[in-house]
Amino acid sequence: RDTSRALIKLADREDNGIYHAVGQPPISRVEMASAIMEMSEYGSKMRFTEVEFAAIDYPEIRPRRSWLDSRITFETLGTSFSPPEKTIERKIALIEKWFAIKGKLSP
């Protein structure tokens, strides 16, 4: 719902361009993984290793200048994303409900 509202507002803008929509406040990959492990009933079965972003080997070439322009924010569009923790919580609930229905995993 958050994304669709923002996309509609962006589609109505006169200035065409490429836009990067992200939630606020920002959340790191480590914070996200930690939140998933804390909120999930399967968290005790999960593990991750914290590494520097530069150490992640990507098969595709990364552009030299790939900065993002943040002059247009969701606030300037008159909309906002849910806080990342709320989004994580909702997604975990949906996934774990599916697992419960399908009987795929047990905590």
Side-chain angles (χ1 to χ4, degrees):
R1 286 175 256 161
D2 302 344
T3 304
S4 60
R5 281 193 304 267
L7 290 175
I8 290 168
K9 297 244 182 186
L10 285 170
D12 287 340
R13 292 182 61 86
E14 294 293 323
D15 58 334
N16 295 325
I18 297 172
Y19 298 97
H20 180 79
V22 297
Q24 290 294 332
I27 185 169
S28 73
R29 292 171 188 230
V30 170
E31 291 168 329
M32 182 169 49
S34 297
I36 290 168
M37 287 175 59
E38 288 173 20
M39 293 180 198
S40 174
E41 65 182 282
Y42 303 101
S44 64
K45 296 181 178 188
M46 299 176 190
R47 300 280 182 276
F48 72 91
T49 302
E50 187 174 345
V51 298
E52 292 292 322
F53 189 76
I56 300 171
D57 186 27
Y58 287 99
E60 65 275 358
I61 297 170
R62 294 292 196 205
R64 284 182 53 217
R65 298 176 187 213
S66 58
W67 298 287
L68 299 174
D69 183 343
S70 299
R71 287 177 286 181
I72 298 174
T73 65
F74 282 100
E75 290 75 27
T76 61
L77 291 173
T79 188
S80 65
F81 272 145
S82 298
E85 292 80 9
K86 282 291 185 196
T87 301
I88 292 168
E89 187 176 40
R90 284 194 316 266
K91 289 185 185 253
I92 287 172
L94 287 170
I95 291 167
E96 291 182 357
K97 180 179 178 182
W98 182 86
F99 279 139
I101 292 169
K102 297 292 183 179
K104 298 285 183 184
L105 293 175
S106 59

